[in-house]
Each structure stands twice: as structure tokens, then as C-alpha cells.
Amino acid sequence: MLLTLDLGNTSLFIGVCDDGKVIDTYRTSTNIHKSSDEYVIIFKDLLGDYINKIDGVICSSVVPCLNYTIKEAIKRLFKIDALFVGPGLKTGLPIRIDTPNELGSDLVCDCVGALNKYGNSTIVVDLGTATKILVIDKNGAFVGGTISSGLKISIEALAGKTQNLTETSLEMPKNIIGKNTRDCINSGTVIGTKLMIEAICKQMEEEIGYPLKRVVTGGYANVINNFNDFIYDFNLIHHGLYVIYLKNQGGKEHE
């Protein structure tokens, strides 16, 4: 079995993969102050009986200061050197942007997963700490996208910068015209984000010149639950990590 780790700014999203399928997932808060010993305990508590069945680990991280901590926890618990997505690993994804090294490993994994499952000409909408909209063209290359504030960040910023508005739970309101403060905030934030995504996707198709499939993923993908003509794939990044692991045959570098 393969353990796939998506180490994000908000949460550590853990996947257990077997024979090409994601069979279980877990989430825990990202905490840069925890030690490797504490992460060992977290993994033990979450993974339970899977602990003795894991024979490979691969991680996508956008929190570099935690990489060593996670590596040490994995090595101690599984006696395995975890792979980290980055230079030296083969992904199979052509990256056609100004500075390829700026592309986060999580976005690489999203695109690899989408390319493998849904093919070329695909938009990936990743609703995480930030909202990312990624474009894979008809040749199977990542050609760019957009980044904006995530749902949670938007509500936190609104509450933090105003006197009379407080942070509220993220929910899709029934109507766009809110009748109370909570619904008004959710309408502006959640429905506003939905409409923004739909408009951006439409304009991306116009700009690239052909139709694009649309896939939604990420930790907040369940909040906007009424997209039309979008595929929901909550475990897309784990599939991408699995594909990258196989391409590298357990860690051997390829030319």
C-alpha cells in the first residue's frame, strides 16, 4: 500500500492507496510547531491497521519548514524514506509557464491526476487555502491559470477588517439575496466564488479556443456543491501522487 500526503497550509490530507485506488483518506490540521514524535502519534492514531501495510510514501508539500519533520516521522514509523514531489522526480507533466519552478507541488499533482483520469483539455479548480484554477491544454501541458483568496481566507479577512461583521461558517445559501448577516456573507463569499469560477472557466475556454472539461477538488470543494457540468473529485491529488510514485518506481530518478 502507498501512503500519499498532501501537506498544505491549512491541513495535512492523508491518503491510503492500493492497486491504483484511494481506499481511505484522513485530515488533520497543519501545525508547524509539532515535532516528528507528535506526527508519529498522529499517523498512528489515524492510520490504525494500515500502519503495517504501508510500503511506500510520497508527499506533496507547500510548507517547506515541515518537510524535515514529516520525513523523520515517516522514517521512524515506517522505516521508509518518503519521496517529496519536486526536482528529481519524473511527473510526465509538461509545464508551459514563464517560471516552471514556481509551480507548487500540489498543483503539479492535481494536474497529473487530472491528466491521467480525464485526459487533455481540462480545467482543474482546486478549492483550498487559496482558490486555484488550472488549465491543461489539448497537448496535455499545464499552460497557466489563476490564484485568488480561498473561501476561508475571504471570510476571515472580512471579519478581521470590519467592526460589525463576524466570522461565520461556510455554507451555500439558498438565495443570493441574504436576509441576515450570516447569509449575506455566505452569499457574497460562496456564491460569489462560484460565479467567479464559472465566469473564469468560460473566459479560459474563449481564450484557449476550444472546450475544456472541468474538475473540482480541494478541501472546500464540498461547500460549493451545485456546479453544473463540473466533475467532483475530492481525492484528485492522491491519484496524482500515486501516478507520480509509479513513474519513479519507488524513488529512482529518471533522466
Side-chain angles (χ1 to χ4, degrees):
M1 286 185 177
L2 178 67
L3 187 68
T4 52
L5 306 176
D6 170 25
L7 180 55
N9 291 294
T10 302
S11 64
L12 172 59
F13 189 23
I14 302 168
V16 178
C17 301
D18 189 30
D19 196 26
K21 297 179 180 178
V22 181
I23 59 175
D24 246 328
T25 60
Y26 309 88
R27 280 190 188 274
T28 185
S29 297
T30 298
N31 189 330
I32 61 174
H33 302 295
K34 287 189 181 295
S35 66
S36 58
D37 290 341
E38 289 173 303
Y39 273 104
V40 166
I41 293 170
I42 289 170
F43 286 130
K44 281 183 176 180
D45 287 345
L46 292 175
L47 294 173
D49 293 339
Y50 289 128
I51 289 290
N52 296 322
K53 300 176 183 178
I54 300 297
D55 53 18
V57 182
I58 184 168
C59 178
S60 161
S61 171
V62 296
V63 191
C65 64
L66 265 180
N67 289 0
Y68 180 79
T69 300
I70 296 297
K71 281 182 181 179
E72 288 301 301
I74 293 300
K75 193 164 188 177
R76 177 176 172 183
L77 187 56
F78 301 107
K79 306 298 186 289
I80 292 171
D81 289 322
L83 296 181
F84 276 70
V85 177
L89 289 190
K90 183 178 179 181
T91 66
L93 177 71
I95 301 173
R96 309 289 188 231
I97 59 175
D98 293 341
T99 312
N101 289 339
E102 288 182 356
L103 185 63
S105 61
D106 56 334
L107 306 189
V108 171
C109 295
D110 278 345
C111 289
V112 169
L115 192 58
N116 185 265
K117 292 185 75 173
Y118 307 108
N120 303 349
S121 304
T122 300
I123 292 174
V124 178
V125 178
D126 186 335
L127 295 167
T129 304
T131 294
K132 290 87 64 178
I133 307 176
L134 317 170
V135 180
I136 302 168
D137 71 5
K138 62 184 179 182
N139 299 311
F142 172 72
V143 293
T146 68
I147 300 175
S148 57
S149 297
L151 291 167
K152 187 69 171 175
I153 285 179
S154 296
I155 282 185
E156 289 174 345
L158 189 62
K161 294 294 184 179
T162 57
Q163 291 286 332
N164 296 323
L165 298 179
T166 58
E167 190 175 338
T168 185
S169 58
L170 286 165
E171 297 175 1
M172 175 61 77
K174 294 179 180 179
N175 303 302
I176 196 165
I177 301 175
K179 300 294 187 181
N180 54 65
T181 301
R182 184 193 65 186
D183 286 350
C184 286
I185 292 173
N186 271 316
S187 179
T189 304
V190 180
I191 295 181
T193 298
K194 175 181 181 289
L195 294 174
M196 176 194 74
I197 290 169
E198 290 173 338
I200 287 175
C201 289
K202 182 179 179 181
Q203 191 163 334
M204 283 175 164
E205 286 185 329
E206 292 174 358
E207 187 171 306
I208 207 164
Y210 47 83
L212 298 165
K213 298 180 288 291
R214 303 174 185 185
V215 181
V216 184
T217 192
Y220 295 109
N222 62 322
V223 177
I224 304 177
N225 55 15
N226 60 348
F227 278 117
N228 292 321
D229 301 321
F230 281 68
I231 302 165
Y232 281 84
D233 191 333
F234 297 100
N235 296 325
L236 183 65
I237 194 165
H238 294 297
H239 185 76
L241 283 162
Y242 182 87
V243 171
I244 292 171
Y245 184 86
L246 291 187
K247 285 181 180 294
N248 291 274
Q249 298 181 353
K252 295 180 180 179
E253 292 186 4
H254 290 251
E255 295 296 331

